[in-house]
Amino acid sequence: MRYGYAVLRAPASGAKAKRLPYPDLLAFKNGRILIFEVKRRSRRQAVYLSEDQYSTLMFWKSKGAEVYVAIRYDSEGPDFLLVPIGCVEAVDGSPPRYRLSVDRVLECGKRVQEVA
């Protein structure tokens, strides 16, 4: 509520969560929709998304939402960096995976205040 958004935390497990495209967080304000996949790491390192996580985020982007990967490095303090989905890179392999290198996080990441 700090920035006036209504925020929903989507279920992370269960039968419905496996069938429907649920992100970790949804935030709404004045017609604006923000979607977040939340990742936390103890130190600076790459962040990976599964094919399902990436597909879920792209589904929401196709519906007009602003989509971010919210990353918090414990060694950097309590703040999150919000990285637009467009900065995520595909990684070769099977099954497909997607990556945000530390360089991409620092280059593309925005503070919460910048996005709110």
Side-chain angles (χ1 to χ4, degrees):
M1 296 298 283
R2 181 181 202 176
Y3 295 101
Y5 284 85
V7 178
L8 296 172
R9 182 176 170 259
S13 61
K16 287 185 181 178
K18 294 184 185 347
R19 290 192 321 251
L20 299 172
Y22 288 127
D24 289 332
L25 293 172
L26 300 94
F28 308 90
K29 178 181 170 185
N30 299 330
R32 189 175 181 202
I33 302 170
L34 296 116
I35 302 297
F36 302 96
E37 179 67 32
V38 180
K39 299 292 184 182
R40 179 179 164 199
R41 299 289 181 263
S42 58
R43 58 183 172 77
R44 281 188 183 184
Q45 63 190 59
V47 172
Y48 290 86
L49 300 174
S50 69
E51 182 178 17
D52 286 344
Q53 289 170 325
Y54 185 79
S55 294
T56 294
L57 297 175
M58 294 309 291
F59 167 83
W60 284 98
K61 183 174 174 56
S62 75
K63 302 299 180 195
E66 297 174 47
V67 179
Y68 297 92
V69 180
I71 301 169
R72 178 179 145 192
Y73 293 121
D74 291 343
S75 61
E76 305 290 319
D79 294 335
F80 280 86
L81 287 173
L82 306 179
V83 182
I85 190 67
C87 291
V88 174
E89 303 167 312
V91 177
D92 290 335
S94 181
R97 291 191 317 159
Y98 300 85
R99 176 184 63 213
L100 276 167
S101 66
V102 173
D103 289 342
R104 292 293 281 172
V105 170
L106 298 176
E107 173 187 329
C108 297
K110 300 176 182 182
R111 301 277 178 208
V112 172
Q113 300 88 330
E114 295 176 271
V115 172

